[in-house]
Amino acid sequence: MTELANIFLKHGYDVTMVMVEMPFKSSDSSASAIQRIAASNPSINFHALLALPAPDFAASGKHPVLLFLQLLRDCNELLEAFLRSIPRKRLHSVVLDMFCIHALDVCVKFGIPVYTFFTSAASCLSILTQFLAQIAGRQTGLKELGDTPLNFLSVPQMPASHLIKELLEHPEDELCKAMTNTWKRNTETMGVLVNTFESLESRAVQSLRDPLCVPNRVLPPVYCVGPLPDRSVVFICFGSKGTLSAEQLKEIAIGLERSRQRFLWSVRTPAGSHDTKKYLEVHPEPDLDALMPEGFLERTKDRGLVIKSWAP
């Protein structure tokens, strides 16, 4: 999001980033992390919404993602108060992170043009956008399909089992419904900015512009943040909570080495557990020597950089 803000600055806009300070211990969302980002980007204004009381993750019995989405929704009142403090003529538009989509209600209330920033790939957005059609009318989840291929417009077939596992549950499952609603609302804004460039994912981008993508529904315009500038590198980062398994990290390393492309890779300690209660735990720094294939760091040191946690 900070990189996108810098692009807006280059086009002559003043930019304020509104951030949610999480009420639980996290190396990613603490006040010090926000201060660090702000110090590195002095041309951007930063406003942190006051932290709300932390949900009782242990007692609720709900998946942490549900509580996390509810926490973001509960910040709407704080966001509304902040927007009220800004003269309307100075508010050109609001760009929402894809997980903060319920703030759309606040923007509509003020009549502010609002856009979504989808930080994953266009192919991912296309699949998630078409997902509702896959489960429409189903009385059971997709889990029972196993590896049966699913067909998506302009996106290669994929086994049902390769979807986000929470989306394989019964369509009326609370988490499945919350996630599908989030993806649907991401395409109910005035436009979607996607973290890709068209020459990389031309088929997926075109699928989102195709009237057949979602029957009986017109999707908003889709804008790619690319094209890539000269001397670009491959940047690999799966977000604040994107902890992969040790096996997946090794597979990524093998792919990077075989690609022979320059890269910057932000690595986090493997989750090591599917226990949802551990979702928001702060993990120790990763042991790169133990996680990477033997000799990988030495063989790629002249064209790649592997770092722990945040990228500089």
Side-chain angles (χ1 to χ4, degrees):
M1 188 64 85
T2 307
E3 291 301 315
L4 181 63
N6 281 310
I7 292 177
F8 292 150
L9 287 173
K10 292 178 182 178
H11 285 274
Y13 293 102
D14 291 329
V15 180
T16 296
M17 283 188 62
V18 181
M19 306 182 72
V20 177
E21 185 175 338
M22 291 296 149
F24 38 77
K25 186 179 180 182
S26 170
S27 60
D28 314 310
S29 55
S30 64
S32 60
I34 295 175
Q35 291 170 1
R36 190 166 61 247
I37 297 170
S40 301
N41 298 273
S43 297
I44 302 173
N45 299 310
F46 288 83
H47 178 80
L49 299 179
L50 295 176
L52 296 173
D56 191 338
F57 290 96
S60 72
K62 290 190 174 184
H63 193 287
V65 170
L66 287 171
L67 299 177
F68 179 69
L69 292 175
Q70 183 60 52
L71 180 65
L72 293 176
R73 189 183 294 112
D74 291 342
C75 289
N76 275 6
E77 290 187 14
L78 297 173
L79 176 63
E80 180 174 339
F82 173 67
L83 294 178
R84 285 188 185 279
S85 70
I86 304 174
R88 177 61 185 86
K89 63 181 180 181
R90 291 190 58 205
L91 281 171
H92 177 276
S93 57
V94 171
V95 179
L96 297 175
D97 178 272
M98 61 188 189
F99 292 109
C100 299
I101 194 61
H102 291 292
L104 172 61
D105 300 326
V106 177
C107 300
V108 170
K109 184 176 181 179
F110 283 100
I112 304 170
V114 58
Y115 299 82
T116 311
F117 182 36
F118 190 81
T119 55
S120 190
S123 55
C124 179
L125 176 61
S126 182
I127 289 171
L128 292 173
T129 301
Q130 298 178 60
F131 177 74
L132 280 174
Q134 293 281 348
I135 61 173
R138 286 189 63 89
Q139 300 302 312
T140 58
L142 296 180
K143 184 189 298 185
E144 66 178 27
L145 296 181
D147 292 333
T148 302
L150 297 178
N151 294 306
F152 295 98
L153 178 67
S154 298
V155 178
Q157 278 190 340
M158 64 180 293
S161 60
H162 286 198
L163 285 170
I164 303 170
K165 67 184 182 69
E166 288 78 12
L167 297 181
L168 298 175
E169 301 300 328
H170 192 282
E172 292 301 313
D173 173 78
E174 186 178 11
L175 181 54
C176 183
K177 286 181 68 174
M179 293 180 72
T180 53
N181 182 55
T182 296
W183 307 133
K184 181 176 182 291
R185 297 207 73 190
N186 264 267
T187 54
E188 290 178 348
T189 58
M190 296 182 67
V192 183
L193 287 68
V194 187
N195 193 27
T196 190
F197 53 104
E198 196 148 355
S199 59
L200 176 66
E201 295 189 279
S202 58
R203 291 180 61 194
V205 173
Q206 288 303 317
S207 73
L208 292 163
R209 296 169 178 163
D210 194 315
L212 298 177
C213 184
V214 182
N216 304 316
R217 184 174 167 224
V218 178
L219 297 178
V222 172
Y223 306 99
C224 299
V225 298
L228 287 179
D230 292 337
R231 299 183 60 79
S232 293
V233 301
V234 176
F235 176 48
I236 306 97
C237 178
F238 290 91
S240 300
K241 300 302 171 189
T243 50
L244 305 176
S245 68
E247 182 182 5
Q248 288 172 318
L249 291 175
K250 283 186 169 60
E251 289 291 334
I252 292 173
I254 292 170
L256 284 173
E257 185 170 3
R258 289 178 178 175
S259 75
R260 306 196 64 78
Q261 299 297 321
R262 295 180 303 155
F263 65 87
L264 172 62
W265 184 12
S266 175
V267 175
R268 293 177 178 273
T269 300
S273 170
H274 294 293
D275 183 357
T276 57
K277 293 184 176 62
K278 296 181 179 293
Y279 178 75
L280 294 170
E281 286 185 358
V282 178
H283 298 282
E285 282 197 346
D287 182 348
L288 297 181
D289 289 325
L291 292 172
M292 298 294 109
E294 185 177 355
F296 169 79
L297 296 174
E298 178 65 24
R299 292 192 299 271
T300 60
K301 66 180 182 181
D302 293 330
R303 57 182 173 84
L305 177 62
V306 182
I307 58 174
K308 304 173 183 179
S309 190
W310 284 99

